[in-house]
Amino acid sequence: MPELPEVTTTVTGLNEVLVGLSITDVWTDYYIRTANKRTDTIKNKKYFEKFKREVVGTKFNNAERRGKNVLIHLSGNKTILIHMKMTGHLLYGKYTLSPTGVWKSEEKLLSDSFNQFIHLIFTLSNGKHLAFSDMRKFAKVILFETSKRADVVDLAGLGPEPLDDLPFPTFTSKLNTKKSGKIKSVLMDQSVIAGVGNIYSDEILWASSVHPERRVSSLTASERKKIWAAMKKILVAGINLGGDSMSDYRNIHGERGGFQNSHKAYRRTGKKCLKTGCSGITTRKVIGSRSAHFCNIHQV
């Protein structure tokens, strides 16, 4: 699932290419291809029809990230919220619709196999498209009035942003709201801290020498400070490397990020620990229904 660095990379790209462009048309097959359709997203046909009526003709003002959500602000007091979920990513370029109803691009990077699952297309006033590739079709797309942002359920319960000058006292007090929780799961809890997921929580805890199953209540002030500092450092590194493309994430131009080349823990099961002087082996264990990867020696 795209996490803070990947969503930030996407938003940066959107702000570079979309500002001032208008939406001239919208297409989706979500409501045709997705089972168990919710009534409050474009996976519902009536919702999509209303969504299309309201966004066609608007202009892009800017985009921002909140947690793992992409927020695209449009003229007319409208905001599109896109949560990319497990396999979604936005792409910008020229697409054509085949006679079989499949959107394709002749641009080399956009033709990457992971960029072929197009389920949402915005046609733009410059003749290009903003496409959404979503292999597993888990993504969420909704529209709300920008001025009523505080009332949007998808945003209301999010915790503070880890890179918005989050002071250590606030960080540790947020952890304390889940004292009995395991630190791996708590770091991924979006009501505690917004934006951290499976990949970066593994890397943060490896760098902090903290075992992912430690209860929050057991963490010393020193350990919490290590986690807090590592979180900021590693998330910034993820942004600087354009996100993590070990799986299917791509930026808006179809390019891979580079953070997967810097993994110290995530998906290194059975490999020697990379910490200098450590003889440990990277271990995988399911914690709270998610895979955790950690060193069996120096993470205690």
Side-chain angles (χ1 to χ4, degrees), residues 97-115:
L97 183 62
S98 73
T100 58
V102 177
W103 288 89
K104 295 284 186 181
S105 176
E106 295 182 2
E107 297 177 40
K108 184 177 180 180
L109 287 171
L110 296 180
S111 298
D112 179 319
S113 60
F114 282 115
N115 296 334

Side-chain angles (χ1 to χ4, degrees), residues 116-133:
Q116 299 305 302
F117 304 93
I118 306 300
H119 295 295
L120 176 64
I121 285 272
F122 295 92
T123 303
L124 308 174
S125 54
N126 65 351
K128 292 193 175 184
H129 301 88
L130 179 64
F132 190 62
S133 178

Side-chain angles (χ1 to χ4, degrees), residues 237-288:
I239 293 169
N240 290 340
L241 289 169
D244 192 296
S245 292
M246 174 163 273
S247 183
D248 58 358
Y249 174 73
R250 303 293 186 268
N251 69 17
I252 67 164
H253 302 293
E255 300 165 328
R256 293 167 61 92
F259 188 75
Q260 67 276 7
N261 301 319
S262 299
H263 289 176
K264 301 296 190 295
Y266 185 70
R267 289 195 182 179
R268 285 183 48 82
T269 307
K271 295 181 179 180
K272 186 182 182 303
C273 180
L274 294 176
K275 184 177 176 65
T276 302
C278 182
S279 61
I281 299 296
T282 305
T283 301
R284 175 185 175 274
K285 185 173 184 179
V286 175
I287 300 174

Side-chain angles (χ1 to χ4, degrees), residues 189-202:
D189 187 328
Q190 298 304 291
S191 70
V192 177
I193 301 292
V196 178
N198 211 30
I199 297 171
Y200 294 95
S201 59
D202 278 352

Side-chain angles (χ1 to χ4, degrees), residues 26-294:
V26 188
W27 170 96
T28 191
D29 65 355
Y30 267 122
Y31 60 82
I32 300 171
R33 296 177 178 269
T34 309
N36 300 317
K37 306 175 197 58
R38 290 174 50 177
T39 59
D40 57 345
T41 78
I42 64 167
K43 293 178 181 179
N44 176 272
K45 185 178 181 180
K46 287 186 177 179
Y47 186 98
F48 173 70
E49 289 171 348
K50 181 175 184 291
F51 176 94
K52 181 176 179 177
R53 287 196 303 271
E54 294 200 22
V55 303
V56 169
T58 62
K59 284 188 176 183
F60 290 95
N61 289 335
N62 66 288
E64 68 168 304
R65 179 192 59 77
R66 178 68 175 105
K68 298 178 185 179
N69 299 284
V70 175
L71 303 180
I72 301 175
H73 302 303
L74 307 173
S75 60
N77 191 37
K78 297 178 177 64
T79 295
I80 299 170
L81 180 152
I82 301 176
H83 193 304
M84 298 189 281
K85 297 292 184 179
M86 295 295 294
T87 59
H89 52 279
L90 287 157
L91 300 161
Y92 172 77
K94 181 67 177 176
Y95 285 82
T96 56
L97 183 62
S98 73
T100 58
V102 177
W103 288 89
K104 295 284 186 181
S105 176
E106 295 182 2
E107 297 177 40
K108 184 177 180 180
L109 287 171
L110 296 180
S111 298
D112 179 319
S113 60
F114 282 115
N115 296 334
Q116 299 305 302
F117 304 93
I118 306 300
H119 295 295
L120 176 64
I121 285 272
F122 295 92
T123 303
L124 308 174
S125 54
N126 65 351
K128 292 193 175 184
H129 301 88
L130 179 64
F132 190 62
S133 178
D134 182 15
M135 181 170 62
R136 298 184 69 180
K137 302 189 291 291
F138 287 165
K140 175 171 56 183
V141 182
I142 66 172
L143 183 71
F144 64 88
E145 292 182 40
T146 309
S147 60
K148 295 183 179 179
R149 173 175 177 159
D151 300 328
V152 177
V153 174
D154 303 84
L155 301 175
L158 294 176
E161 292 289 338
L163 298 182
D164 285 356
D165 298 319
L166 176 67
F168 175 68
T170 301
F171 172 74
T172 196
S173 69
K174 290 299 292 183
L175 292 186
N176 285 339
T177 63
K178 306 283 182 178
K179 282 186 177 182
S180 63
K182 296 176 181 179
I183 185 59
K184 161 81 173 177
S185 300
V186 173
L187 284 176
M188 295 173 60
D189 187 328
Q190 298 304 291
S191 70
V192 177
I193 301 292
V196 178
N198 211 30
I199 297 171
Y200 294 95
S201 59
D202 278 352
E203 297 299 308
I204 291 165
L205 293 174
W206 183 93
S208 308
S209 299
V210 173
H211 194 284
E213 290 188 299
R214 287 277 301 278
R215 301 287 177 181
V216 168
S217 58
S218 75
L219 298 173
T220 66
S222 175
E223 288 171 327
R224 291 170 183 238
K225 274 205 168 162
K226 287 179 181 178
I227 294 170
W228 173 71
M231 177 180 67
K232 292 174 175 290
K233 181 179 179 180
I234 289 168
L235 291 175
V236 168
I239 293 169
N240 290 340
L241 289 169
D244 192 296
S245 292
M246 174 163 273
S247 183
D248 58 358
Y249 174 73
R250 303 293 186 268
N251 69 17
I252 67 164
H253 302 293
E255 300 165 328
R256 293 167 61 92
F259 188 75
Q260 67 276 7
N261 301 319
S262 299
H263 289 176
K264 301 296 190 295
Y266 185 70
R267 289 195 182 179
R268 285 183 48 82
T269 307
K271 295 181 179 180
K272 186 182 182 303
C273 180
L274 294 176
K275 184 177 176 65
T276 302
C278 182
S279 61
I281 299 296
T282 305
T283 301
R284 175 185 175 274
K285 185 173 184 179
V286 175
I287 300 174
S289 77
R290 301 300 298 274
S291 293
H293 306 82
F294 56 95

